[in-house]
Amino acid sequence: MNSNLIAALRSDHMPRLPSSVSALDPSAQLEKVLRSHRRGFSAGSILKLEGESSVATYCVLDGWVALSKSTQDGQRQIIDFVLPGDIINPSSANKCTSTMQIEALSYARIAVVPNVTWANLIEGGPMLRMRESQIISSALSRMSERMLRLGKGTAEMRIAYSLIELYLRLSAIGKVDNDRFHIPLTQQQLGEFSGLSSVHVCRTMRRLSRKNILTVNSQMDITILDLQEMAEIAGVDVAVLNTSIIPTQ
Amino acid sequence: MNSNLIAALRSDHMPRLPSSVSALDPSAQLEKVLRSHRRGFSAGSILKLEGESSVATYCVLDGWVALSKSTQDGQRQIIDFVLPGDIINPSSANKCTSTMQIEALSYARIAVVPNVTWANLIEGGPMLRMRESQIISSALSRMSERMLRLGKGTAEMRIAYSLIELYLRLSAIGKVDNDRFHIPLTQQQLGEFSGLSSVHVCRTMRRLSRKNILTVNSQMDITILDLQEMAEIAGVDVAVLNTSIIPTQ
DNA sequence: CGAAGGCTTGACGGTATTCAAGCATAGTGG
DNA sequence: CCACTATGCTTGAATACCGTCAAGCCTTCG
């Protein structure tokens, strides 16, 4: 609406609006909706519990969000990460309860848009509908890739794949610098993502770093030293993976 | 109208279009499109290879279809089954290649609708759009439940969950009779679905049947003898699971 | 009747989990 | 400034679970 609006959407951590969000719809209406529903969540805060009723669409503007499910005995599986520019609607087939827990892993700015409002927005913009469908498709592709490795992959394969996936997603939003990036996860959480115990995550990553394939420091700043070899271990073609899990901009 | 739509998507034999129905009626249009694109596929035929270009939406009218991905060394993971009434669009984020292999597991009748045609159909009917979104949501819910168990579950849990999922899905389309149903899968394929080797599927199912929780014959006709205990092992509440993975009708 | 495909079971081995202890770091309050 | 705690990483040892290999059996089908 005014330049303040644009500025408001731009976070201090992001030099620019996540390109995928701005590509959603050129109209100012989206920005208005996002801005008016924008909220900040501190790291670790839980936006929604598994099974809780949910009638909103979440647009992540900045920060990391995790979608997860837990077994009765407290084991947790992270189903997907939601990164800046992503849109998720956690509702199940019945369209009113969330099938997953939603948790901010870092400080996150999120537009929590009521489904009714969102539906109106979609109604008005075919671009936005296309964009949403693209985002859903890429989430499905990512989940499929991970399911393949959860079912059939070794620990090395799962870790290598997980890191490449995050590398590509972070690259797409300008958060990778010289093959170096940060993930706001503990080894425990990386294990919940890749289906491994935290102990085995540690062993596996140490093995990879001893082989000079990557480096990690205690802040979980990761540098990929040998992408070729990582891709080999993960069993992916990086270029192909990129087109299938990253929405075209 | 909605129930007509479902009937159209699910019926074994396409209902005749009454001549009195207006050609502008969206459900009538749907029927017309489905009928004109309907094709039959024999068991084992592969409709689409992983990575092949794909510009169609698949509406399964009858029979079983599997979506799968494979590793370079030939290990396969079945990502999801597509059953009568389901709609899938296998395209990845780039909207033109399929991320998965599509295979008929039994003789199947499928309407292969070009995306353009499908988009027009959707444009004209908000009910159909809602329906499609519901079907996508339930597929996501199912995949999430399975990911949780692929990552954190034991073999018993995976098998019990898989069978309950199929039991509920088949129930919803009237293919379960007295807790008895048929799945057109080998143990190998059930293993590809649940992330187990065929040998371990065999052991696990035998263990379950020795415990009098279920019976299986050589035709993969399964009877659930103790749903309570199955649900316990699978770690699910059957009623809750049903609402989250089965589209409301 | 032979071949092919699928199920079943045993034996063995490998991979990942669990348990446990030690270490490092950051934050807190005396 | 220094305990003191909490949290997370690291490593070893023991164990459990599941995969692989292999053989035997059954059914189906040409």
Side-chain angles (χ1 to χ4, degrees):
Chain A
M1 226 178 196
N2 54 38
S3 54
N4 276 348
L5 189 151
I6 308 294
L9 275 173
R10 288 178 176 167
S11 77
D12 36 11
H13 293 107
M14 296 278 296
R16 57 192 165 79
L17 189 64
S19 52
S20 53
V21 166
S22 60
L24 282 174
D25 192 326
S27 84
Q29 204 173 356
L30 171 66
E31 284 187 12
K32 200 158 115 186
V33 167
L34 289 183
R35 176 169 181 249
S36 61
H37 292 89
R38 198 181 71 169
R39 295 169 55 190
F41 297 89
S42 60
S45 61
I46 291 172
L47 287 70
K48 190 66 76 179
L49 291 171
E50 212 177 319
E52 219 176 337
S53 87
S54 160
V55 289
T57 294
Y58 296 74
C59 302
V60 177
L61 305 172
D62 194 16
W64 282 54
V65 171
L67 306 181
S68 66
K69 293 183 69 73
S70 297
T71 59
Q72 283 134 348
D73 56 331
Q75 298 265 63
R76 192 166 90 129
Q77 175 71 38
I78 293 178
I79 304 299
D80 204 7
F81 294 121
V82 193
L83 302 185
D86 282 327
I87 301 166
I88 51 139
N89 185 323
S91 68
S92 61
N94 62 35
K95 287 282 155 202
C96 67
T97 58
S98 169
T99 52
M100 304 181 213
Q101 185 184 109
I102 308 178
E103 178 184 348
L105 296 176
S106 64
Y107 178 78
R109 289 167 213 262
I110 304 169
V112 183
V113 184
N115 282 340
V116 182
T117 310
W118 188 255
N120 286 337
L121 212 54
I122 293 276
E123 209 62 45
M127 294 295 283
L128 184 52
R129 174 157 56 237
M130 241 186 67
R131 187 73 192 163
E132 189 189 31
S133 130
Q134 243 185 1
I135 289 175
I136 292 173
S137 287
S138 55
L140 269 170
S141 293
R142 292 195 300 266
M143 284 174 62
S144 307
E145 294 287 349
R146 262 180 271 125
M147 283 181 81
L148 171 61
R149 287 160 184 87
L150 281 174
K152 305 292 174 190
T154 63
E156 271 202 353
M157 190 176 191
R158 296 187 206 181
I159 292 291
Y161 173 80
S162 298
L163 294 179
I164 289 180
E165 182 190 309
L166 294 174
Y167 167 76
L168 291 177
R169 294 185 71 189
L170 291 173
S171 286
I173 55 174
K175 301 250 185 194
V176 175
D177 181 44
N178 268 74
D179 291 341
R180 181 187 175 92
F181 56 96
H182 170 72
I183 58 179
L185 303 173
T186 63
Q187 291 185 347
Q188 172 71 32
Q189 289 166 326
L190 188 51
E192 287 165 355
F193 183 56
S194 53
L196 298 170
S197 67
S198 62
V199 173
H200 210 60
V201 169
C202 175
R203 287 189 221 279
T204 306
M205 290 193 74
R206 301 248 74 213
R207 201 177 321 134
L208 291 176
S209 70
R210 271 194 296 269
K211 284 199 262 184
N212 288 318
I213 293 171
L214 52 77
T215 64
V216 202
N217 70 9
S218 57
Q219 266 61 245
M220 276 287 188
D221 294 313
I222 295 172
T223 307
I224 295 184
L225 301 176
D226 189 342
L227 183 57
Q228 206 65 25
E229 185 59 23
M230 279 277 277
E232 185 77 24
I233 294 171
V236 299
D237 177 317
V238 177
V240 170
L241 182 65
N242 191 63
T243 69
S244 82
I245 69 171
I246 305 294
T248 52
Q249 317 233 345
Chain B
M1 180 174 77
N2 200 17
S3 56
N4 273 349
L5 192 155
I6 295 158
L9 277 176
R10 285 192 176 153
S11 64
D12 293 348
H13 308 288
M14 297 300 289
R16 283 275 160 242
L17 184 59
S19 51
S20 58
V21 175
S22 156
L24 292 178
D25 180 351
S27 76
Q29 276 186 0
L30 172 64
E31 280 184 21
K32 207 155 103 183
V33 166
L34 291 183
R35 196 182 311 151
S36 63
H37 292 89
R38 197 178 71 169
R39 295 168 55 189
F41 297 89
S42 60
S45 62
I46 292 172
L47 286 70
K48 190 64 77 178
L49 291 171
E50 210 177 320
E52 219 176 338
S53 87
S54 160
V55 289
T57 294
Y58 295 74
C59 303
V60 176
L61 306 172
D62 195 16
W64 282 53
V65 172
L67 305 180
S68 66
K69 292 182 71 74
S70 297
T71 59
Q72 283 135 347
D73 55 332
Q75 298 263 64
R76 193 166 91 130
Q77 175 71 37
I78 293 178
I79 304 299
D80 204 8
F81 293 120
V82 193
L83 302 186
D86 283 326
I87 302 166
I88 51 140
N89 185 323
S91 68
S92 62
N94 62 33
K95 287 283 156 201
C96 66
T97 59
S98 169
T99 53
M100 302 181 215
Q101 184 184 108
I102 308 178
E103 179 184 347
L105 296 176
S106 64
Y107 178 78
R109 289 167 215 261
I110 304 170
V112 183
V113 183
N115 282 339
V116 182
T117 309
W118 187 255
N120 285 337
L121 212 55
I122 292 279
E123 209 62 45
M127 294 298 279
L128 183 53
R129 175 156 56 237
M130 241 185 67
R131 183 77 193 161
E132 188 189 32
S133 131
Q134 244 185 358
I135 288 174
I136 292 174
S137 286
S138 54
L140 269 170
S141 293
R142 292 195 301 266
M143 284 175 62
S144 306
E145 294 286 349
R146 262 180 270 125
M147 282 181 83
L148 170 60
R149 287 161 183 86
L150 281 174
K152 306 291 173 189
T154 63
E156 272 203 354
M157 190 176 192
R158 296 187 207 180
I159 292 291
Y161 172 79
S162 298
L163 294 179
I164 290 181
E165 181 189 310
L166 293 174
Y167 166 75
L168 291 177
R169 294 185 70 189
L170 292 174
S171 286
I173 55 174
K175 303 249 184 193
V176 175
D177 181 45
N178 269 72
D179 291 340
R180 181 186 175 94
F181 54 97
H182 170 73
I183 59 180
L185 304 172
T186 63
Q187 291 184 347
Q188 173 72 30
Q189 289 165 325
L190 188 51
E192 287 165 352
F193 183 57
S194 53
L196 297 169
S197 67
S198 62
V199 174
H200 211 63
V201 168
C202 175
R203 284 189 222 281
T204 306
M205 291 193 73
R206 301 248 73 215
R207 203 179 319 136
L208 291 176
S209 69
R210 271 194 295 270
K211 285 199 259 184
N212 288 319
I213 294 172
L214 53 77
T215 64
V216 202
N217 70 8
S218 58
Q219 265 61 248
M220 277 287 187
D221 294 312
I222 294 171
T223 308
I224 295 184
L225 300 176
D226 189 343
L227 184 57
Q228 205 66 24
E229 184 59 21
M230 279 277 276
E232 184 78 22
I233 293 171
V236 298
D237 177 316
V238 177
V240 170
L241 182 65
N242 191 62
T243 70
S244 83
I245 69 171
I246 305 295
T248 53
Q249 319 223 354

